[in-house]
Amino acid sequence: MKKKGVGIGISFYGIGYGNGFPDVSKAVVRLLDGGKIGIYTGATEVGQGSKTVLSQIGAETLKIDSKDILFICEDTSLMPDSGTTAASRQTYNTGNAIKTACEKFREELLDAAQRELGLNSVSGLTMEKGEIYLNFFPHKRISFKELSKTYKDNPIEVEGIFTAQTVEMDSETGQGAPYWPYTFNACGVEVEVDTLTGKVEILKAVFAQDTGRAINPKLVEGQMDGGFAMALGYALFEDLEIDKGRIKNNKFSKYLIPTAMDMIDVKNIIIEDPENTAPYGAKGIGESVTIPITPAILNAIYDAVGVRITEIPVTPSRLLKVLADKA
Amino acid sequence: MKEIKLKVNGIDYILNIDEDIRLIDLLRDKLRLTGTKEGCGEGECGACTVIMDGVSVNSCLVMAFQADGSNILTIEGLEEEGKLHPIQKAFIEEGAIQCGYCTPGMIMSVKALLDKQPYPSREEIRKGISGNLCRCTGYNKIVDATEMAIKYIKEEGV
């Protein structure tokens, strides 16, 4: 018999290394020949989109197009370290370092513009689209390109550093504030359980994720879909069989991950509630997007067939056994 | 050694190959077409998908000598005069690429699907790419990109 059920899962998840551990990101911003802006940071792009998002943060701060940024990463012989691409931390931590660096860089450029334009102060100077000009007398203006020529032998360069604020937990009581900030999410799914075969099918899903600010909504959706699919595999298929330290099912024909046919269209909802310590309010979501999905699926199975599953993945044979034990 | 003739991305080749190499080895090591990726090496992941005589195949499961006389299309053959194929363009615009390792094979499967069936439903697209595993995207942006590519192909008449 086929039985339908619905379930929800909710979670919150801390960004960064946490627990008082030193968590430092650095970035260097430099005026390049031709007036382009170089951003150098150790942050590693693994496909999640950090290059795009971190370039956008730099572009927003300097009021330029991201095409005018040369974003160089992943080579610590050329740039300062920005910690690991882990702990959902690059948007928040390195984003903050880049924003700080770009704000300092902006001050340096304004000072340089004041000198080159022979002005009394930086008051009334506006920076946009690669130019700096005096608001009430726009004839007084200088471009990044012109500044780059003037400072060719001694390029304008600044470093920005961000150190995350976290507090070590009390090792006796486990109390404290080990992370900051947190992201929040909620997922609801509808499943259909075939009590004859033990197969679980996801029929519908809705997933809301707090991002603080979605710097790039498409990339956020991509992370949400990806997290959903990973958690779907975790809940229903993926079972690593280890025997005396050896993985027995070390091939895709034996270790199943979701295909496009197992995945469904998820109704993704991005919640924007800007975090005031974050760059433009943006928090990281790389890991949090997998967390509430499996609980939601297990709750939906409970709703459908009235059994609590305490071991994952819920393979057909495992589910049939649990149903038989109950009967 | 064995001499074979084949066409790859519109170019005719006559090659002397060892009998024990696979099509993916011929493409990557002999012709240096490294856009085609090797994933599992046993036909489960689809990363090495190319189109052989109009049919998508796992190039890790085809022996190079079996490609004698065939017409092969790889990811490098999609671009025309420096212009990306509509499927490639749509993948970029929709954010259908994350780490990118499955992407060449995924795009070749979409191409093979659309060549046969120009207006598939979302379910048919899912079926068409179900032989290509992706761990990053959850596939939905890839399905979206395929729908966008269908629109582009219709507009551009590719």
Side-chain angles (χ1 to χ4, degrees):
Chain A
M1 203 191 340
K2 288 188 176 180
K3 291 187 168 179
K4 285 184 185 177
V6 293
I8 61 168
I10 58 174
S11 78
F12 70 114
Y13 187 78
I15 290 164
Y17 300 144
N19 203 26
F21 194 80
D23 191 345
V24 183
S25 273
K26 295 180 183 176
V28 166
V29 181
R30 190 181 299 150
L31 183 60
L32 305 175
D33 281 352
K36 287 215 176 196
I37 308 297
I39 295 180
Y40 301 79
T41 174
T44 301
E45 168 71 64
V46 292
Q48 83 280 33
S50 66
K51 275 174 143 174
T52 306
V53 163
L54 296 174
S55 297
Q56 284 180 264
I57 289 172
E60 181 74 21
T61 311
L62 294 171
K63 303 274 182 281
I64 54 175
D65 196 296
S66 21
K67 288 193 195 88
D68 294 322
I69 287 179
L70 194 64
F71 193 87
I72 311 287
C73 56
E74 300 150 1
D75 184 345
T76 47
S77 70
L78 298 174
M79 60 198 60
D81 187 23
S82 281
T84 52
T85 290
S88 304
R89 59 181 289 286
Q90 289 297 4
T91 297
Y92 178 76
N93 294 55
T94 304
N96 263 326
I98 287 173
K99 184 160 179 277
T100 302
C102 286
E103 283 164 355
K104 277 161 70 180
F105 183 74
R106 187 177 180 279
E107 301 301 316
E108 294 275 330
L109 284 187
L110 289 179
D111 285 346
Q114 181 202 334
R115 283 192 296 274
E116 298 310 312
L117 295 172
L119 297 170
N120 297 323
S121 80
V122 297
S123 176
L125 283 177
T126 293
M127 180 184 289
E128 64 177 4
K129 292 175 186 163
E131 285 194 305
I132 299 167
Y133 61 87
L134 193 53
N135 285 341
F136 55 86
F137 187 42
H139 181 69
K140 278 279 184 198
R141 64 169 59 224
I142 190 162
S143 67
F144 289 5
K145 195 175 173 180
E146 288 163 299
L147 282 173
S148 75
K149 273 184 206 151
T150 313
Y151 292 86
K152 197 173 186 325
D153 299 325
N154 188 20
I156 299 172
E157 177 183 306
V158 299
E159 186 177 70
I161 301 175
F162 178 74
T163 303
Q165 185 73 285
T166 63
V167 183
E168 197 177 350
M169 284 190 296
D170 185 314
S171 58
E172 292 294 316
T173 64
Q175 297 297 302
Y179 287 96
W180 192 262
Y182 288 87
T183 59
F184 303 84
N185 56 28
C187 174
V189 298
E190 182 180 5
V191 303
E192 186 175 75
V193 180
D194 187 329
T195 56
L196 195 64
T197 64
K199 192 168 183 261
V200 176
E201 198 181 342
I202 314 288
L203 302 177
K204 275 186 203 162
V206 55
F207 183 15
Q209 173 68 51
D210 155 45
T211 61
R213 172 87 69 197
I215 302 264
N216 191 310
K218 259 202 172 129
L219 291 178
V220 172
E221 287 168 8
Q223 293 292 297
M224 292 173 76
D225 284 336
F228 191 98
M230 285 181 212
L232 170 64
Y234 179 65
L236 300 180
F237 311 139
E238 298 181 35
D239 201 359
L240 200 63
E241 293 165 25
I242 299 176
D243 182 33
K244 296 189 186 88
R246 285 183 178 235
I247 297 170
K248 284 162 68 189
N249 55 343
N250 60 349
K251 44 183 68 181
F252 288 125
S253 54
K254 300 274 171 59
Y255 182 94
L256 304 182
I257 72 170
T259 70
M261 289 177 81
D262 300 308
M263 188 57 184
I264 60 160
D265 283 312
V266 180
K267 182 173 167 47
N268 290 321
I269 301 167
I270 297 173
I271 309 285
E272 294 192 287
D273 178 17
E275 154 62 32
N276 64 12
T277 64
Y280 300 104
K283 298 183 283 190
I285 57 144
E287 293 158 297
S288 61
V289 288
T290 58
I291 296 172
I293 319 298
T294 303
I297 293 171
L298 298 185
N299 284 335
I301 293 172
Y302 174 73
D303 187 46
V305 293
V307 290
R308 281 284 172 205
I309 308 284
T310 54
E311 197 179 349
I312 52 168
V314 191
T315 55
S317 58
R318 191 167 279 158
L319 182 57
L320 288 178
K321 188 175 178 306
V322 175
L323 287 172
D325 289 349
K326 184 204 166 206
Chain B
M1 296 291 272
K2 179 179 166 58
E3 186 183 281
I4 63 166
K5 289 181 195 172
L6 78 172
K7 192 186 279 246
V8 179
N9 300 333
I11 300 169
D12 289 308
Y13 293 93
I14 299 173
L15 298 166
N16 272 307
I17 57 152
D18 287 324
E19 286 88 339
D20 62 351
I21 71 163
R22 305 163 300 168
L23 177 57
I24 189 169
D25 305 320
L26 182 151
L27 294 171
R28 289 182 55 88
D29 302 338
K30 281 230 164 226
L31 301 181
R32 293 281 163 201
L33 296 170
T34 52
T36 302
K37 306 299 180 199
E38 179 163 9
C40 63
E42 52 190 28
E44 290 290 341
C45 76
C48 65
T49 304
V50 299
I51 298 177
M52 181 171 167
D53 295 326
V55 179
S56 66
V57 297
N58 288 311
S59 61
C60 74
L61 292 186
V62 177
M63 296 307 289
F65 66 78
Q66 292 177 297
D68 190 13
S70 70
N71 185 358
I72 309 280
L73 184 67
T74 74
I75 187 75
E76 289 91 346
L78 288 188
E79 193 179 302
E80 274 180 22
E81 291 162 13
K83 200 167 152 250
L84 291 178
H85 188 278
I87 301 172
Q88 293 174 302
K89 202 172 125 193
F91 265 60
I92 294 169
E93 286 177 6
E94 271 302 312
I97 303 161
Q98 285 189 32
C99 89
Y101 201 84
C102 76
T103 308
M106 195 66 86
I107 287 177
M108 297 317 286
S109 283
V110 170
K111 170 88 168 73
L113 170 70
L114 298 185
D115 284 349
K116 253 190 277 174
Q117 198 178 355
Y119 301 106
S121 67
R122 279 182 86 81
E123 274 316 301
E124 287 164 338
I125 295 168
R126 288 184 183 282
K127 199 172 167 197
I129 59 169
S130 62
N132 295 73
L133 296 179
C134 170
R135 190 50 142 175
C136 305
T137 63
Y139 305 103
N140 290 342
K141 294 280 179 215
I142 294 172
V143 179
D144 293 345
T146 304
E147 289 188 323
M148 185 185 263
I150 293 165
K151 232 167 57 188
Y152 284 155
I153 290 169
K154 194 179 172 191
E155 281 165 16
E156 295 178 24
V158 178

mmCIF file of all heavy atoms in Angstrom, chain A residues 218, chain B residues 85-96 110 114 118-120 122 125 140-156:
data_model
loop_
_atom_site.group_PDB
_atom_site.id
_atom_site.type_symbol
_atom_site.label_atom_id
_atom_site.label_comp_id
_atom_site.label_asym_id
_atom_site.label_seq_id
_atom_site.Cartn_x
_atom_site.Cartn_y
_atom_site.Cartn_z
ATOM 1 N N LYS A 218 21.116 33.411 -6.993
ATOM 2 C CA LYS A 218 21.212 32.170 -7.785
ATOM 3 C C LYS A 218 22.184 31.172 -7.165
ATOM 4 O O LYS A 218 21.936 29.969 -7.149
ATOM 5 C CB LYS A 218 21.663 32.504 -9.212
ATOM 6 C CG LYS A 218 20.487 32.491 -10.136
ATOM 7 C CD LYS A 218 20.828 32.288 -11.570
ATOM 8 C CE LYS A 218 19.502 32.113 -12.271
ATOM 9 N NZ LYS A 218 19.312 32.953 -13.407
ATOM 10 N N HIS B 85 28.329 27.360 -27.436
ATOM 11 C CA HIS B 85 27.072 26.721 -27.816
ATOM 12 C C HIS B 85 25.979 27.181 -26.840
ATOM 13 O O HIS B 85 26.266 27.446 -25.674
ATOM 14 C CB HIS B 85 27.256 25.199 -27.739
ATOM 15 C CG HIS B 85 26.107 24.422 -28.291
ATOM 16 N ND1 HIS B 85 24.974 24.169 -27.545
ATOM 17 C CD2 HIS B 85 25.903 23.852 -29.501
ATOM 18 C CE1 HIS B 85 24.125 23.471 -28.289
ATOM 19 N NE2 HIS B 85 24.667 23.269 -29.484
ATOM 20 N N PRO B 86 24.730 27.293 -27.306
ATOM 21 C CA PRO B 86 23.648 27.741 -26.414
ATOM 22 C C PRO B 86 23.550 26.933 -25.116
ATOM 23 O O PRO B 86 23.197 27.504 -24.075
ATOM 24 C CB PRO B 86 22.388 27.539 -27.252
ATOM 25 C CG PRO B 86 22.843 27.580 -28.668
ATOM 26 C CD PRO B 86 24.264 27.103 -28.680
ATOM 27 N N ILE B 87 23.868 25.654 -25.164
ATOM 28 C CA ILE B 87 23.811 24.849 -23.921
ATOM 29 C C ILE B 87 24.893 25.331 -22.950
ATOM 30 O O ILE B 87 24.647 25.502 -21.755
ATOM 31 C CB ILE B 87 23.984 23.340 -24.204
ATOM 32 C CG1 ILE B 87 22.897 22.830 -25.160
ATOM 33 C CG2 ILE B 87 23.944 22.542 -22.905
ATOM 34 C CD1 ILE B 87 23.118 21.396 -25.645
ATOM 35 N N GLN B 88 26.084 25.582 -23.467
ATOM 36 C CA GLN B 88 27.174 26.074 -22.610
ATOM 37 C C GLN B 88 26.813 27.419 -22.000
ATOM 38 O O GLN B 88 26.990 27.663 -20.806
ATOM 39 C CB GLN B 88 28.469 26.211 -23.432
ATOM 40 C CG GLN B 88 29.026 24.882 -23.912
ATOM 41 C CD GLN B 88 30.206 25.067 -24.845
ATOM 42 O OE1 GLN B 88 30.093 25.721 -25.893
ATOM 43 N NE2 GLN B 88 31.347 24.509 -24.489
ATOM 44 N N LYS B 89 26.272 28.296 -22.856
ATOM 45 C CA LYS B 89 25.880 29.635 -22.405
ATOM 46 C C LYS B 89 24.818 29.535 -21.300
ATOM 47 O O LYS B 89 24.909 30.204 -20.262
ATOM 48 C CB LYS B 89 25.314 30.397 -23.623
ATOM 49 C CG LYS B 89 25.344 31.901 -23.484
ATOM 50 C CD LYS B 89 24.939 32.559 -24.805
ATOM 51 C CE LYS B 89 23.790 33.495 -24.590
ATOM 52 N NZ LYS B 89 23.103 33.965 -25.764
ATOM 53 N N ALA B 90 23.837 28.678 -21.520
ATOM 54 C CA ALA B 90 22.753 28.532 -20.544
ATOM 55 C C ALA B 90 23.268 27.970 -19.220
ATOM 56 O O ALA B 90 22.833 28.396 -18.148
ATOM 57 C CB ALA B 90 21.656 27.626 -21.116
ATOM 58 N N PHE B 91 24.208 27.021 -19.290
ATOM 59 C CA PHE B 91 24.776 26.460 -18.050
ATOM 60 C C PHE B 91 25.451 27.556 -17.230
ATOM 61 O O PHE B 91 25.319 27.602 -16.008
ATOM 62 C CB PHE B 91 25.795 25.354 -18.383
ATOM 63 C CG PHE B 91 25.212 23.969 -18.352
ATOM 64 C CD1 PHE B 91 24.172 23.626 -19.200
ATOM 65 C CD2 PHE B 91 25.691 23.006 -17.474
ATOM 66 C CE1 PHE B 91 23.617 22.349 -19.184
ATOM 67 C CE2 PHE B 91 25.153 21.722 -17.442
ATOM 68 C CZ PHE B 91 24.122 21.390 -18.295
ATOM 69 N N ILE B 92 26.175 28.434 -17.898
ATOM 70 C CA ILE B 92 26.872 29.515 -17.182
ATOM 71 C C ILE B 92 25.847 30.479 -16.591
ATOM 72 O O ILE B 92 25.906 30.824 -15.411
ATOM 73 C CB ILE B 92 27.853 30.249 -18.123
ATOM 74 C CG1 ILE B 92 28.987 29.311 -18.533
ATOM 75 C CG2 ILE B 92 28.404 31.510 -17.455
ATOM 76 C CD1 ILE B 92 29.858 29.847 -19.648
ATOM 77 N N GLU B 93 24.884 30.879 -17.410
ATOM 78 C CA GLU B 93 23.936 31.893 -16.955
ATOM 79 C C GLU B 93 23.035 31.398 -15.825
ATOM 80 O O GLU B 93 22.670 32.169 -14.944
ATOM 81 C CB GLU B 93 23.091 32.384 -18.136
ATOM 82 C CG GLU B 93 23.903 33.280 -19.039
ATOM 83 C CD GLU B 93 23.140 33.732 -20.276
ATOM 84 O OE1 GLU B 93 21.933 33.444 -20.370
ATOM 85 O OE2 GLU B 93 23.775 34.358 -21.133
ATOM 86 N N GLU B 94 22.674 30.129 -15.859
ATOM 87 C CA GLU B 94 21.774 29.607 -14.825
ATOM 88 C C GLU B 94 22.505 29.174 -13.555
ATOM 89 O O GLU B 94 21.873 28.777 -12.589
ATOM 90 C CB GLU B 94 20.980 28.414 -15.380
ATOM 91 C CG GLU B 94 19.683 28.799 -16.063
ATOM 92 C CD GLU B 94 18.725 29.568 -15.159
ATOM 93 O OE1 GLU B 94 18.490 29.138 -14.027
ATOM 94 O OE2 GLU B 94 18.230 30.621 -15.595
ATOM 95 N N GLY B 95 23.833 29.229 -13.567
ATOM 96 C CA GLY B 95 24.564 28.728 -12.398
ATOM 97 C C GLY B 95 24.454 27.222 -12.280
ATOM 98 O O GLY B 95 24.374 26.674 -11.185
ATOM 99 N N ALA B 96 24.456 26.539 -13.425
ATOM 100 C CA ALA B 96 24.328 25.078 -13.433
ATOM 101 C C ALA B 96 25.670 24.382 -13.208
ATOM 102 O O ALA B 96 25.756 23.170 -13.291
ATOM 103 C CB ALA B 96 23.710 24.622 -14.751
ATOM 104 N N VAL B 110 23.086 16.486 -22.411
ATOM 105 C CA VAL B 110 21.998 17.399 -22.766
ATOM 106 C C VAL B 110 21.951 17.577 -24.278
ATOM 107 O O VAL B 110 20.883 17.555 -24.893
ATOM 108 C CB VAL B 110 22.162 18.767 -22.054
ATOM 109 C CG1 VAL B 110 21.182 19.799 -22.607
ATOM 110 C CG2 VAL B 110 21.958 18.608 -20.545
ATOM 111 N N LEU B 114 18.811 16.762 -26.637
ATOM 112 C CA LEU B 114 18.106 17.773 -27.431
ATOM 113 C C LEU B 114 18.210 17.496 -28.930
ATOM 114 O O LEU B 114 17.328 17.883 -29.692
ATOM 115 C CB LEU B 114 18.620 19.180 -27.108
ATOM 116 C CG LEU B 114 18.420 19.648 -25.661
ATOM 117 C CD1 LEU B 114 18.852 21.106 -25.504
ATOM 118 C CD2 LEU B 114 16.996 19.458 -25.179
ATOM 119 N N PRO B 118 13.892 17.737 -29.234
ATOM 120 C CA PRO B 118 14.169 19.170 -29.044
ATOM 121 C C PRO B 118 13.365 19.835 -27.922
ATOM 122 O O PRO B 118 13.801 20.824 -27.375
ATOM 123 C CB PRO B 118 13.790 19.786 -30.390
ATOM 124 C CG PRO B 118 13.676 18.652 -31.344
ATOM 125 C CD PRO B 118 13.336 17.439 -30.553
ATOM 126 N N TYR B 119 12.192 19.287 -27.575
ATOM 127 C CA TYR B 119 11.363 19.935 -26.553
ATOM 128 C C TYR B 119 10.969 18.964 -25.433
ATOM 129 O O TYR B 119 9.787 18.659 -25.249
ATOM 130 C CB TYR B 119 10.106 20.539 -27.193
ATOM 131 C CG TYR B 119 10.438 21.566 -28.250
ATOM 132 C CD1 TYR B 119 10.287 21.272 -29.609
ATOM 133 C CD2 TYR B 119 10.943 22.816 -27.900
ATOM 134 C CE1 TYR B 119 10.624 22.200 -30.589
ATOM 135 C CE2 TYR B 119 11.292 23.743 -28.866
ATOM 136 C CZ TYR B 119 11.120 23.439 -30.201
ATOM 137 O OH TYR B 119 11.464 24.366 -31.146
ATOM 138 N N PRO B 120 11.945 18.495 -24.675
ATOM 139 C CA PRO B 120 11.620 17.546 -23.605
ATOM 140 C C PRO B 120 10.945 18.245 -22.418
ATOM 141 O O PRO B 120 11.147 19.443 -22.200
ATOM 142 C CB PRO B 120 12.988 17.004 -23.189
ATOM 143 C CG PRO B 120 13.943 18.108 -23.519
ATOM 144 C CD PRO B 120 13.382 18.813 -24.721
ATOM 145 N N ARG B 122 10.424 18.567 -18.161
ATOM 146 C CA ARG B 122 11.423 18.536 -17.081
ATOM 147 C C ARG B 122 11.738 17.097 -16.684
ATOM 148 O O ARG B 122 12.892 16.753 -16.428
ATOM 149 C CB ARG B 122 10.942 19.331 -15.861
ATOM 150 C CG ARG B 122 11.144 20.830 -15.998
ATOM 151 C CD ARG B 122 10.694 21.587 -14.759
ATOM 152 N NE ARG B 122 11.700 21.681 -13.716
ATOM 153 C CZ ARG B 122 12.707 22.556 -13.693
ATOM 154 N NH1 ARG B 122 12.855 23.424 -14.672
ATOM 155 N NH2 ARG B 122 13.562 22.573 -12.698
ATOM 156 N N ILE B 125 13.969 15.655 -19.221
ATOM 157 C CA ILE B 125 15.343 16.164 -19.065
ATOM 158 C C ILE B 125 16.036 15.403 -17.936
ATOM 159 O O ILE B 125 17.178 14.947 -18.073
ATOM 160 C CB ILE B 125 15.340 17.684 -18.762
ATOM 161 C CG1 ILE B 125 14.786 18.478 -19.953
ATOM 162 C CG2 ILE B 125 16.753 18.165 -18.424
ATOM 163 C CD1 ILE B 125 14.479 19.936 -19.633
ATOM 164 N N ASN B 140 18.934 20.695 -10.131
ATOM 165 C CA ASN B 140 17.811 21.545 -10.554
ATOM 166 C C ASN B 140 18.246 22.691 -11.459
ATOM 167 O O ASN B 140 17.551 23.020 -12.426
ATOM 168 C CB ASN B 140 17.046 22.059 -9.331
ATOM 169 C CG ASN B 140 16.279 20.934 -8.661
ATOM 170 O OD1 ASN B 140 16.051 19.894 -9.286
ATOM 171 N ND2 ASN B 140 15.898 21.111 -7.408
ATOM 172 N N LYS B 141 19.413 23.285 -11.154
ATOM 173 C CA LYS B 141 19.890 24.365 -12.029
ATOM 174 C C LYS B 141 20.291 23.804 -13.405
ATOM 175 O O LYS B 141 20.251 24.530 -14.403
ATOM 176 C CB LYS B 141 21.080 25.091 -11.398
ATOM 177 C CG LYS B 141 20.741 25.857 -10.126
ATOM 178 C CD LYS B 141 20.093 27.189 -10.432
ATOM 179 C CE LYS B 141 19.731 27.922 -9.164
ATOM 180 N NZ LYS B 141 18.484 28.690 -9.292
ATOM 181 N N ILE B 142 20.673 22.546 -13.430
ATOM 182 C CA ILE B 142 21.025 21.926 -14.716
ATOM 183 C C ILE B 142 19.758 21.736 -15.560
ATOM 184 O O ILE B 142 19.758 21.985 -16.771
ATOM 185 C CB ILE B 142 21.772 20.586 -14.483
ATOM 186 C CG1 ILE B 142 23.121 20.871 -13.808
ATOM 187 C CG2 ILE B 142 21.964 19.824 -15.793
ATOM 188 C CD1 ILE B 142 23.878 19.636 -13.348
ATOM 189 N N VAL B 143 18.677 21.327 -14.888
ATOM 190 C CA VAL B 143 17.397 21.192 -15.607
ATOM 191 C C VAL B 143 16.936 22.586 -16.079
ATOM 192 O O VAL B 143 16.509 22.747 -17.235
ATOM 193 C CB VAL B 143 16.330 20.519 -14.707
ATOM 194 C CG1 VAL B 143 15.004 20.414 -15.451
ATOM 195 C CG2 VAL B 143 16.798 19.138 -14.260
ATOM 196 N N ASP B 144 17.066 23.579 -15.196
ATOM 197 C CA ASP B 144 16.710 24.959 -15.588
ATOM 198 C C ASP B 144 17.531 25.408 -16.798
ATOM 199 O O ASP B 144 17.003 26.018 -17.731
ATOM 200 C CB ASP B 144 16.983 25.945 -14.438
ATOM 201 C CG ASP B 144 16.068 25.729 -13.233
ATOM 202 O OD1 ASP B 144 15.058 25.026 -13.370
ATOM 203 O OD2 ASP B 144 16.385 26.268 -12.151
ATOM 204 N N ALA B 145 18.838 25.119 -16.750
ATOM 205 C CA ALA B 145 19.728 25.539 -17.841
ATOM 206 C C ALA B 145 19.338 24.852 -19.147
ATOM 207 O O ALA B 145 19.412 25.458 -20.225
ATOM 208 C CB ALA B 145 21.185 25.217 -17.492
ATOM 209 N N THR B 146 18.929 23.599 -19.062
ATOM 210 C CA THR B 146 18.513 22.878 -20.273
ATOM 211 C C THR B 146 17.280 23.546 -20.880
ATOM 212 O O THR B 146 17.197 23.726 -22.103
ATOM 213 C CB THR B 146 18.243 21.395 -19.942
ATOM 214 O OG1 THR B 146 19.415 20.848 -19.338
ATOM 215 C CG2 THR B 146 17.894 20.603 -21.190
ATOM 216 N N GLU B 147 16.353 23.941 -19.997
ATOM 217 C CA GLU B 147 15.159 24.632 -20.513
ATOM 218 C C GLU B 147 15.536 25.961 -21.172
ATOM 219 O O GLU B 147 14.979 26.338 -22.198
ATOM 220 C CB GLU B 147 14.152 24.860 -19.371
ATOM 221 C CG GLU B 147 13.510 23.545 -18.917
ATOM 222 C CD GLU B 147 12.375 23.744 -17.934
ATOM 223 O OE1 GLU B 147 12.472 24.654 -17.092
ATOM 224 O OE2 GLU B 147 11.392 22.979 -18.001
ATOM 225 N N MET B 148 16.508 26.657 -20.560
ATOM 226 C CA MET B 148 16.962 27.916 -21.151
ATOM 227 C C MET B 148 17.648 27.661 -22.497
ATOM 228 O O MET B 148 17.453 28.413 -23.463
ATOM 229 C CB MET B 148 17.911 28.623 -20.190
ATOM 230 C CG MET B 148 18.344 29.987 -20.655
ATOM 231 S SD MET B 148 19.582 30.709 -19.558
ATOM 232 C CE MET B 148 18.559 31.727 -18.548
ATOM 233 N N ALA B 149 18.436 26.577 -22.555
ATOM 234 C CA ALA B 149 19.143 26.239 -23.798
ATOM 235 C C ALA B 149 18.148 25.944 -24.920
ATOM 236 O O ALA B 149 18.371 26.333 -26.072
ATOM 237 C CB ALA B 149 20.061 25.032 -23.573
ATOM 238 N N ILE B 150 17.040 25.282 -24.565
ATOM 239 C CA ILE B 150 16.012 24.976 -25.571
ATOM 240 C C ILE B 150 15.497 26.280 -26.188
ATOM 241 O O ILE B 150 15.333 26.386 -27.411
ATOM 242 C CB ILE B 150 14.861 24.179 -24.920
ATOM 243 C CG1 ILE B 150 15.351 22.794 -24.504
ATOM 244 C CG2 ILE B 150 13.654 24.062 -25.868
ATOM 245 C CD1 ILE B 150 14.426 22.050 -23.546
ATOM 246 N N LYS B 151 15.296 27.266 -25.315
ATOM 247 C CA LYS B 151 14.831 28.570 -25.789
ATOM 248 C C LYS B 151 15.866 29.229 -26.709
ATOM 249 O O LYS B 151 15.547 29.725 -27.776
ATOM 250 C CB LYS B 151 14.557 29.479 -24.575
ATOM 251 C CG LYS B 151 13.179 30.108 -24.607
ATOM 252 C CD LYS B 151 12.777 30.748 -23.279
ATOM 253 C CE LYS B 151 13.722 31.802 -22.781
ATOM 254 N NZ LYS B 151 13.388 32.245 -21.418
ATOM 255 N N TYR B 152 17.142 29.208 -26.273
ATOM 256 C CA TYR B 152 18.218 29.802 -27.059
ATOM 257 C C TYR B 152 18.350 29.114 -28.418
ATOM 258 O O TYR B 152 18.543 29.771 -29.446
ATOM 259 C CB TYR B 152 19.560 29.693 -26.345
ATOM 260 C CG TYR B 152 19.751 30.670 -25.205
ATOM 261 C CD1 TYR B 152 20.625 30.390 -24.167
ATOM 262 C CD2 TYR B 152 19.078 31.897 -25.187
ATOM 263 C CE1 TYR B 152 20.818 31.279 -23.133
ATOM 264 C CE2 TYR B 152 19.267 32.785 -24.155
ATOM 265 C CZ TYR B 152 20.136 32.484 -23.124
ATOM 266 O OH TYR B 152 20.329 33.354 -22.117
ATOM 267 N N ILE B 153 18.277 27.777 -28.403
ATOM 268 C CA ILE B 153 18.446 27.033 -29.658
ATOM 269 C C ILE B 153 17.314 27.399 -30.629
ATOM 270 O O ILE B 153 17.555 27.593 -31.819
ATOM 271 C CB ILE B 153 18.482 25.510 -29.383
ATOM 272 C CG1 ILE B 153 19.790 25.149 -28.659
ATOM 273 C CG2 ILE B 153 18.352 24.704 -30.681
ATOM 274 C CD1 ILE B 153 19.845 23.746 -28.095
ATOM 275 N N LYS B 154 16.107 27.537 -30.089
ATOM 276 C CA LYS B 154 14.953 27.901 -30.916
ATOM 277 C C LYS B 154 15.167 29.305 -31.518
ATOM 278 O O LYS B 154 14.963 29.516 -32.712
ATOM 279 C CB LYS B 154 13.698 27.882 -30.072
ATOM 280 C CG LYS B 154 12.422 27.906 -30.894
ATOM 281 C CD LYS B 154 11.193 27.866 -29.987
ATOM 282 C CE LYS B 154 9.932 28.086 -30.788
ATOM 283 N NZ LYS B 154 8.772 28.320 -29.918
ATOM 284 N N GLU B 155 15.627 30.233 -30.655
ATOM 285 C CA GLU B 155 15.848 31.620 -31.117
ATOM 286 C C GLU B 155 16.967 31.707 -32.152
ATOM 287 O O GLU B 155 16.844 32.394 -33.154
ATOM 288 C CB GLU B 155 16.226 32.513 -29.929
ATOM 289 C CG GLU B 155 15.021 32.931 -29.091
ATOM 290 C CD GLU B 155 15.446 33.487 -27.728
ATOM 291 O OE1 GLU B 155 16.642 33.832 -27.551
ATOM 292 O OE2 GLU B 155 14.586 33.538 -26.844
ATOM 293 N N GLU B 156 18.066 30.986 -31.860
ATOM 294 C CA GLU B 156 19.251 31.106 -32.725
ATOM 295 C C GLU B 156 19.208 30.148 -33.904
ATOM 296 O O GLU B 156 20.007 30.272 -34.830
ATOM 297 C CB GLU B 156 20.535 30.851 -31.914
ATOM 298 C CG GLU B 156 20.763 31.909 -30.846
ATOM 299 C CD GLU B 156 22.007 31.606 -30.013
ATOM 300 O OE1 GLU B 156 22.906 30.907 -30.508
ATOM 301 O OE2 GLU B 156 22.058 32.068 -28.869
#
